[in-house]
Amino acid sequence: AVCCRLPVMDTAPGDLADFLAKIDQVTALVQGVARGDAQAMDASDKFLEQNEARVRASRTVIAAQSAGLEAPASPVAGMMASMQRDADERAQRRKEREVQADALKAQGNEMYRTGRHTEAIALYSEALAVLPDAHTIRSNRAAAYLASGDPGHALEDCEFIVKVGGAVPAKVWLRAGQARRLLGQHEGARAAFRAGLAGCAGGERAVFESELAETDFLEQSSREETDASQQAGEATLAHVRQLLAALQAEAAGESAARLAALLDTKPARAYYRSLGGLELLQACSAARTAAAALTADGGRPVSATAGVPGSSADPSSAALTGCLLVLAAAVTECEASGQRLGSNADAMCVAAAALRSAGALQLAGADVLAAVAESPRGRAALLRVQPGVGRDALGRSAVPGAFRLAAALALEADFRASLRADDCAALSPLLADPQALAHAPILMNLCADPVLRARIASSAEGLLSALEPASLSDSALGLLTNLALEPAVAARLQDPRTVRALAGSASGTGVSAVRATALLARLPTCEAAAALCADAGAVDVFIRHVCAQSGALDGPLEPAVRGLAKVCALHPPARARVVAACGEALVAMVAAAPEAILGNAALCIAECAREPQVCTSPTLRDAVPALLASAKRDRSAAQENCSIALARLAQHAPAHLQRLRDLGGFDVLRSRMR
């Protein structure tokens, strides 16, 4: 036992060893707490709970044995007191987090009640970021996921609660069963409903019994529908084979048109879902014949002029075109089919060779490859078996399917690295095109690589000289937003006409507004650019988005707050205007927004607080409690911004100084200073 004074007499060697071991344990815990080690903090809480009663008992016995002698001060007692204070502080922080999480949960419940499920999910997620072990909030988020049509994430939340252990609320079993049923996991759904049924009574039992009956009914219905779809699929397969044979025999457009029409029918789609497209390619003898003509040397693609059917009049070309159309439809209908097809080296070799050909065959090959590249796994598989297909697509980007293929592959780091390896030579045709903005979706994704972005930016003069900001597409705005990370491009965009046009686009809604706002937020890189943004309408747009979406978690809010912070840092005349217009909204974000928005909102307040007259604005009357609550959290750049804002407000406004003193904020500031 930990005690203030060791009894000299009647102390066995084992007791002394235990005592010294306990001192070592306490010392290690104190050192861990001093380092901020989370495991040490948890261990110290358990240690205090286990030893508190024994410490009191031991001290009583020792006092009696000491015959009234005063015990000398013990370093262990100091350690214990320090640990107790730390535990109390963390308990207080826990209470504060609970209050914050409860407030976010209440907002999420209101969003859920009014049918705004996406916003409810975002609020619940933010609450869980504050308090990850709040199972009620996690269960509520599962309900919101179910209501929004996302049973996969709903099931993840329910399973998390179950795995943690302890008593599982009936609602969690109910939502887990509903999620599994929506995913087609009928047996798992029944298991969840039975688990919930075992732990409830009264009216709740009737709910679970009803859900079990509904699950049995839906499973039977699904089985009957699958049987019907299979029969329809067999008939469709026979029809497809007939049309392919006709294509091979007559080489006429009529059969191709009939095949294309067939691909849009419900029975055909049912067949694609159940069996996928790869089996059809392997089962069709005409396609196998054509595939053999398109490959050589163990499946490696041959050149575009060697062995590729040259015209639509070639029977094997017509048959292969029809089969590739079927494959493209199959992959579009069923993502799993695309992943399997992308991993099939022979099939991808055929499609890549078709892409390098011409006419209808090229279009069909491009469509298959683009469909495979829609999913991340499909892209990875395709690049693994056909590493050169991305360059082929870039060189044929005038073909719609090749364009989609190149834009999708540009999302992959491996493809971007391959372009970087040859000094970006494959990009030259795209950048030399007078209509380079037409390639914006491809170039926008390639900008994720800093080297490629710099290369595109160095060739962007022609693109920027023909720029019409008022009529930019979503992808063009995305491209310019990425390129504006390069100082030369940002400087090129800093002219009144461009800023006004972008401000007009940013005033709307949808993707265009988000991207235009993000682009405007990139422009204030110097005093002159910040003044231009203030004079040409950009600041008005930022303020409007901040005031309109002070509680929103997506859209143009984040770039708008970031843009305001940059303008206020570089252009002092804008500070009073910003605080007067949206000071309350900024304070609300400091209290409840995600960290990226919170940090920029605090930075904006800190920059505005450089002006003494701004600090007395009534819009900032509640700034100190909000900033202080955020500054007390774990150390990060956002919390440091809150501390800076507090210091500046207190420096220039006696009312803020007094409130900071009343709330005990100086300890927080001293901690941040250290």
Side-chain angles (χ1 to χ4, degrees):
V2 179
C3 56
C4 296
R5 182 180 179 187
L6 280 173
V8 178
M9 303 299 295
D10 302 323
T11 301
D15 294 334
L16 181 59
D18 290 343
F19 177 68
L20 293 175
K22 186 61 65 68
I23 290 179
D24 292 340
Q25 180 185 5
V26 171
T27 303
L29 288 174
V30 172
Q31 291 173 345
V33 169
R35 293 194 305 271
D37 187 331
Q39 291 183 343
M41 291 180 181
D42 292 338
S44 68
D45 284 344
K46 294 178 181 177
F47 178 89
L48 287 171
E49 292 172 1
Q50 294 169 357
N51 287 276
E52 183 177 2
R54 282 184 289 172
V55 168
R56 287 198 297 267
S58 297
R59 285 174 178 165
T60 301
V61 171
I62 293 166
Q65 293 176 338
S66 302
L69 294 177
E70 183 178 357
S74 169
V76 176
M79 294 179 189
M80 295 292 292
S82 175
M83 292 176 67
Q84 184 62 57
R85 285 195 300 273
D86 182 75
D88 292 341
E89 290 174 2
R90 283 186 286 113
Q92 180 61 33
R93 290 198 295 270
R94 167 79 184 192
K95 290 180 181 178
E96 292 172 357
R97 291 199 303 272
E98 288 175 348
V99 170
Q100 184 182 1
D102 286 343
L104 290 166
K105 183 184 76 170
Q107 296 177 43
N109 291 346
E110 180 63 22
M111 294 297 104
Y112 181 84
R113 188 183 65 78
T114 57
R116 298 161 68 179
H117 300 123
T118 301
E119 295 179 35
I121 290 168
L123 286 163
Y124 291 143
S125 299
E126 188 180 354
L128 288 170
V130 175
L131 202 65
D133 58 350
H135 294 337
T136 301
I137 299 175
R138 195 174 295 276
S139 177
N140 288 1
R141 187 172 71 171
Y145 275 131
L146 281 174
S148 67
D150 188 354
H153 282 102
L155 182 59
E156 287 180 7
D157 276 345
C158 294
E159 288 185 334
F160 179 91
I161 296 172
V162 172
K163 289 177 181 177
V164 167
V168 178
K171 284 184 178 180
V172 173
W173 289 120
L174 180 65
R175 289 161 184 167
Q178 291 170 340
R180 286 192 180 277
R181 189 171 63 200
L182 288 171
L183 292 168
Q185 303 171 14
H186 297 100
E187 191 55 44
R190 277 191 288 267
F193 292 141
R194 290 187 186 117
L197 186 61
C200 66
E204 287 185 340
R205 293 186 63 84
V207 172
F208 283 104
E209 289 167 354
S210 174
E211 292 290 345
L212 282 168
E214 178 73 7
T215 302
D216 293 339
F217 172 77
L218 290 175
E219 184 179 27
Q220 179 63 26
S221 300
S222 176
R223 189 180 299 115
E224 293 173 356
E225 183 178 349
T226 300
D227 293 342
S229 296
Q230 183 64 33
Q231 294 174 5
E234 291 172 358
T236 301
L237 175 59
H239 196 180
V240 169
R241 284 175 173 163
Q242 291 174 5
L243 288 173
L244 289 173
L247 281 169
Q248 187 174 18
E250 64 193 46
E254 180 182 352
S255 294
R258 287 163 57 202
L259 178 61
L262 176 67
L263 298 181
D264 288 329
T265 64
K266 185 174 181 179
R269 291 197 298 273
Y271 175 73
Y272 304 147
R273 279 198 301 271
S274 60
L275 298 181
L278 185 56
E279 291 85 348
L280 183 58
L281 176 63
Q282 294 168 337
C284 178
S285 59
R288 285 202 301 272
T289 301
L294 285 172
T295 58
D297 298 332
R300 291 194 296 275
V302 299
S303 68
T305 58
V308 178
S311 70
S312 60
D314 186 336
S316 63
S317 175
L320 182 60
T321 299
C323 195
L324 289 172
L325 287 172
V326 173
L327 278 174
V331 173
T332 301
E333 189 69 26
C334 177
E335 182 177 319
S337 181
Q339 295 170 11
R340 286 162 45 235
L341 183 61
S343 300
N344 187 288
D346 289 339
M348 290 299 92
C349 178
V350 172
L355 173 64
R356 293 192 295 271
S357 64
L361 183 60
Q362 182 185 55
L363 295 173
D367 284 346
V368 170
L369 295 168
V372 168
E374 282 296 316
S375 71
R377 291 184 181 178
R379 290 194 293 271
L382 177 57
L383 288 173
R384 192 164 52 247
V385 300
Q386 282 290 317
V389 72
R391 295 169 184 274
D392 292 338
L394 285 176
R396 295 164 177 80
S397 58
V399 177
F403 184 93
R404 298 196 309 275
L405 171 62
L409 292 180
L411 295 167
E412 296 297 313
D414 288 345
F415 176 57
R416 297 195 298 267
S418 70
L419 295 179
R420 194 173 61 238
D422 71 347
D423 199 26
C424 313
L427 293 180
S428 298
L430 271 64
L431 298 176
D433 188 343
Q435 302 296 322
L437 274 180
H439 306 295
I442 301 173
L443 299 174
M444 175 180 67
N445 293 341
L446 292 175
C447 283
D449 185 292
V451 174
L452 297 181
R453 184 178 67 233
R455 173 71 177 85
I456 295 169
S458 68
S459 304
E461 183 56 38
L463 180 152
L464 296 173
S465 61
L467 187 64
E468 288 295 336
S471 59
L472 289 175
S473 64
D474 292 346
S475 56
L477 284 168
L479 170 61
L480 291 176
T481 301
N482 290 342
L483 290 178
L485 290 169
E486 300 295 322
V489 175
R492 180 68 174 76
L493 294 172
Q494 291 165 354
D495 70 86
R497 175 175 168 271
T498 300
V499 173
R500 289 192 184 94
L502 291 173
S505 298
S507 298
T509 58
V511 177
S512 294
V514 175
R515 290 183 173 173
T517 305
L519 179 52
L520 285 172
R522 293 266 164 87
L523 299 186
T525 57
C526 61
E527 293 182 19
L532 173 62
C533 289
D535 297 338
V539 169
D540 293 330
V541 171
F542 296 152
I543 290 173
R544 190 156 51 247
H545 284 314
V546 167
C547 292
Q549 302 192 38
S550 60
L553 301 176
D554 54 9
L557 178 59
E558 190 278 328
V561 179
R562 177 161 36 89
L564 275 183
K566 292 171 71 175
V567 170
C568 290
L570 295 167
H571 187 57
R575 294 167 182 166
R577 173 182 163 199
V578 168
V579 168
C582 61
E584 290 180 349
L586 291 170
V587 171
M589 290 176 203
V590 169
E595 185 154 319
I597 296 177
L598 183 161
N600 281 316
L603 178 61
C604 188
I605 294 174
E607 294 299 337
C608 292
R610 292 178 184 273
E611 307 295 323
Q613 71 275 17
V614 167
C615 297
T616 59
S617 170
T619 62
L620 297 180
R621 60 183 175 275
D622 296 322
V624 169
L627 289 164
L628 186 58
S630 295
K632 287 180 178 178
R633 299 178 194 168
D634 295 336
R635 187 179 301 277
S636 70
Q639 278 69 57
E640 289 172 3
N641 287 346
C642 292
S643 300
I644 295 170
L646 282 169
R648 287 180 180 160
L649 288 171
Q651 180 184 27
H652 296 305
H656 290 314
L657 176 64
Q658 184 59 46
R659 197 161 190 189
L660 185 64
R661 182 180 292 116
D662 293 342
L663 295 173
F666 285 101
D667 289 340
V668 175
L669 291 184
R670 279 193 291 269
S671 173
R672 292 304 181 199
M673 290 174 189
R674 287 195 297 271

